[in-house]
Amino acid sequence: MMKKYNLRHLVFALIAAAGMVACDSDLLETIPNDRLSENAFWKTENDAKLAVNALYNDLDGTNILSWDALTDIAHTNQNFEVQAYIELGAYDATSSKVYTEWTNAYKGIRAASYFLENVDKVTSTNAGLINQLKGEAKVLRAYQYIKLAGFFGDVPLVTTPISIEEGRALKRTPVAEIWDFIDKELNEAAALLPVSYTAADKGRATQGAALGLAARANLLAGRYQKAAEAADKVIKLNVYGLNESYEKLFSYAAENNKEVLFDKQFIKDTYQHSVFQILAPYSQRNGGSTFVPTKNLIDAYETLDGKLITDAASGYDPKKPYVNRDNRLKYSVFLDGDILPSGIAFKPQPNSGTADAIGSTYIASTTGYNTKKYINTEDYANPANSGINIILLRYAEVLLTYAEAKIELNQIDASVLAAINTVRNGRNDVKQPSVTSTAQAELREIVRRERTVELALEGQRLFDIRRWKIADKVMPGPIYGITYVNAAGALVTVQVVAANKVFDVNRHYLWPIPQKERDLNGLLTQNTGW
């Protein structure tokens, strides 16, 4: 495994950043011993490195796993969770989930802006290093704005640290200007960043990360030419490729593999998270099953010969629903009979008598499915002490972004089919048949389905169904899970009790601006319908 960059430095830098205060000129000119003064910091290249390291703490981690549960392909398993109310449409501008995503993003933006305002104070003869660090900060700031634009639309554009009073005078910037800023920021960053780092600095933002995020942002904005161009630049760097195994993609052994453009890096015992505890089946040391896949996701996977299960010629057998299916299904979701990290078989049927049986406890998956991505045997002994990196952007997404953008532009050529087919059959353990159609409408549906199954449970579906304007069609209605044979020998499909997803076309395509922010600043207008 390649060495991760030193996150211990990150933690120390956070403490330093939190304590930076200007000295009072009326006091004796002494250096406080419980914090770092601005007069003592921003002196050396190492100060600059520590400061930029601290910015990575504000990247998303396991919270991205919650976003798909706000869509048709996953579900928040416990109905008392704050996020469950968003699924049910029973939320407003006071939602703590909405507020947390807003405040966390702006916290990251302020930290990056503070860095960019101060880094030139550092005495250095290594202009290349300082420019690299600026590029990293720009990528990290742009990343936060991509989320804000996707969640809220128009948001305040802030590029310098501001006072409380200045914050109370902010107005929302039109989202088109936010997308302009993001594109400019990421292209500037790409020009400052290296293509790769040595092993000791793995995890830092690269040129590929900047360009890949630019491709994502422009796709979300519907700026297809820019999206295609940015994705093509990533492809032509010739440093990325698909990991040979989809099954192992989210394992410790595959960390820092050639498919990862951008991730948040963690270290067991030092800078850990609890993904195992959050996602694992209940039988696995009381795994939380917090966000669980739905039947909609499982049904999206083709058969091995590339047919939809709704196709009469597919040979799909509802009594053997997981046989002859795209391998990405069994690598992404725990299915009936799978061996769990503890060594036991996963048996979620209500009549199975196991800890994972639907209804055995309110924590067990209510759909009978559990997420398999990021669940590693190495974390079984201590589920709250995972060090697995959380992937934020990978090469498969870039390929699909390139293909989708070119399809929407109706610039369909061999490169489009190559991008799609690389994702479909470019791994040792995923061999879906190649796509040959050049019809725009057909390819549009193919690439959308590929995004659904390839990137399932990785946090992209919410943004996708919003920008495709299909959320009001795919979201509403009951939540379904596994189909099993009951005691009478009949096939029964599980329906989650007391849970109907709601999506109001007149308001839910954007989240409301948090009420706490509007209470502090009356100039912040509200989104339509809220």
Side-chain angles (χ1 to χ4, degrees):
M1 185 189 308
M2 293 185 179
K3 182 180 177 183
K4 302 178 185 181
Y5 66 78
N6 195 339
L7 282 161
R8 294 177 179 84
H9 288 174
L10 187 154
V11 175
F12 296 150
L14 281 173
I15 297 169
M20 289 177 187
V21 292
C23 293
D24 190 327
S25 59
D26 294 331
L27 298 177
L28 292 174
E29 293 184 2
T30 59
I31 297 176
N33 59 16
D34 63 341
R35 72 201 71 184
L36 285 177
S37 165
E38 285 187 349
N39 292 336
F41 202 74
W42 302 115
K43 299 295 185 183
T44 67
E45 291 175 1
N46 194 52
D47 289 345
K49 289 178 183 177
L50 291 175
V52 87
N53 283 359
L55 304 182
Y56 286 87
N57 188 67
D58 293 313
L59 279 175
D60 291 310
T62 56
N63 64 304
I64 69 169
L65 307 174
S66 72
W67 299 342
D68 277 8
L70 301 176
T71 75
D72 56 325
I73 67 169
H75 169 56
T76 303
N77 202 45
Q78 284 83 48
N79 59 13
F80 52 79
E81 292 277 351
V82 63
Q83 170 153 316
Y85 295 103
I86 297 180
E87 275 192 85
L88 304 179
Y91 70 108
D92 57 24
T94 65
S95 167
S96 61
K97 172 69 172 178
V98 171
Y99 181 65
T100 297
E101 295 289 1
W102 173 286
T103 55
N104 285 350
Y106 274 111
K107 177 176 176 288
I109 288 166
R110 179 179 175 84
S113 297
Y114 179 81
F115 173 87
L116 289 166
E117 186 172 85
N118 287 279
V119 68
D120 284 331
K121 296 176 182 177
V122 168
T123 301
S124 173
T125 59
N126 189 347
L129 173 63
I130 299 302
N131 282 336
Q132 172 206 307
L133 299 178
K134 289 179 179 178
E136 291 179 59
K138 285 176 174 287
V139 167
L140 296 167
R141 183 165 65 179
Y143 174 88
Q144 302 293 352
Y145 271 116
I146 292 172
K147 285 190 307 175
L148 286 170
F151 283 138
F152 300 99
D154 301 350
V155 294
L157 179 59
V158 186
T159 59
T160 59
I162 58 174
S163 66
I164 293 174
E165 288 307 311
E166 288 172 321
R168 287 175 175 157
L170 288 174
K171 295 182 179 180
R172 295 171 69 192
T173 303
V175 71
E177 294 180 32
I178 301 294
W179 293 126
D180 288 342
F181 171 77
I182 291 168
D183 185 65
K184 179 175 179 290
E185 187 92 330
L186 289 170
N187 279 286
E188 288 178 357
L192 299 173
L193 291 168
V195 172
S196 62
Y197 295 97
T198 61
D201 281 321
K202 285 289 183 181
R204 294 187 182 279
T206 61
Q207 187 179 125
L211 293 171
L213 287 172
R216 174 188 287 179
N218 282 299
L219 190 71
L220 292 176
R223 299 176 177 185
Y224 299 119
Q225 190 63 49
K226 284 180 173 290
E229 289 171 358
D232 189 50
K233 287 178 182 177
V234 176
I235 295 167
K236 288 178 177 174
L237 288 175
N238 291 319
V239 297
Y240 299 104
L242 299 185
N243 192 52
E244 287 77 4
S245 170
Y246 192 92
E247 180 182 17
K248 303 299 182 185
L249 183 57
F250 301 91
S251 69
Y252 283 97
E255 285 190 326
N256 300 309
N257 71 77
K258 64 183 177 180
E259 186 165 345
V260 178
L261 275 75
F262 198 42
D263 62 6
K264 185 169 185 178
Q265 304 234 328
F266 293 90
I267 305 174
K268 267 183 183 289
D269 303 317
T270 301
Y271 190 68
Q272 70 273 30
H273 56 81
S274 55
V275 68
F276 191 105
Q277 189 175 56
I278 293 168
L279 296 180
Y282 179 66
S283 65
Q284 304 302 286
R285 290 186 175 270
N286 296 338
S289 301
T290 308
F291 311 113
V292 296
T294 65
K295 185 177 187 294
N296 282 349
L297 173 60
I298 277 63
D299 288 354
Y301 291 87
E302 299 171 347
T303 57
L304 287 173
D305 57 358
K307 293 182 174 62
L308 300 179
I309 65 170
T310 52
D311 186 334
S314 69
Y316 172 72
D317 182 354
K319 292 183 178 180
K320 300 176 181 178
Y322 316 126
V323 174
N324 192 39
R325 301 292 293 279
D326 179 344
N327 285 338
R328 287 174 292 185
L329 170 56
K330 66 182 180 182
Y331 299 148
S332 302
V333 179
F334 280 114
L335 306 171
D336 179 38
D338 282 352
I339 301 303
L340 297 169
S342 67
I344 68 172
F346 182 59
K347 304 298 292 183
Q349 304 92 329
N351 56 6
S352 68
T354 69
D356 294 319
I358 294 170
S360 64
T361 167
Y362 71 93
I363 301 176
S365 172
T366 50
T367 65
Y369 298 115
N370 278 88
T371 300
K372 186 177 287 187
K373 290 178 177 179
Y374 293 115
I375 302 303
N376 289 287
T377 303
E378 294 93 327
D379 294 331
Y380 174 73
N382 191 348
N385 184 26
S386 176
I388 189 74
N389 297 340
I390 301 296
I391 300 173
L392 302 176
L393 176 65
R394 55 188 179 89
Y395 188 59
E397 180 189 335
V398 173
L399 291 173
L400 293 174
T401 294
Y402 174 80
E404 183 180 345
K406 296 280 279 186
I407 290 166
E408 293 302 326
L409 293 165
N410 206 16
Q411 297 174 359
I412 298 166
D413 56 21
S415 68
V416 173
L417 296 183
I420 296 173
N421 290 329
T422 298
V423 175
R424 286 177 63 82
N425 52 47
R427 305 178 193 271
N428 293 336
D429 56 5
V430 176
K431 295 296 180 185
Q432 290 303 105
S434 291
V435 171
T436 57
S437 173
T438 57
Q440 185 185 37
E442 187 175 353
L443 281 175
R444 178 182 291 127
E445 291 308 309
I446 289 170
V447 80
R448 288 182 179 187
R449 187 164 57 253
E450 279 301 310
R451 282 187 67 91
T452 303
V453 300
E454 173 68 26
L455 305 175
L457 312 170
E458 296 178 43
Q460 292 304 305
R461 179 69 173 172
L462 180 61
F463 301 106
D464 283 347
I465 62 174
R466 283 180 169 191
R467 66 186 178 85
W468 293 332
K469 299 300 179 186
I470 65 170
D472 57 297
K473 300 176 181 65
V474 301
M475 276 281 291
I479 301 166
Y480 295 104
I482 62 171
T483 297
Y484 71 101
V485 179
N486 68 9
L491 280 176
V492 178
T493 296
V494 167
Q495 180 177 339
V496 177
V497 177
N500 267 347
K501 291 193 183 238
V502 173
F503 194 96
D504 185 343
V505 69
N506 296 313
R507 65 193 306 206
H508 290 155
Y509 272 101
L510 291 173
W511 278 351
I513 304 302
Q515 189 59 45
K516 285 185 179 180
E517 294 298 314
R518 299 189 70 231
D519 289 343
L520 293 170
N521 178 3
L523 297 177
L524 289 178
T525 57
Q526 186 54 279
N527 278 324
T528 301
W530 296 102

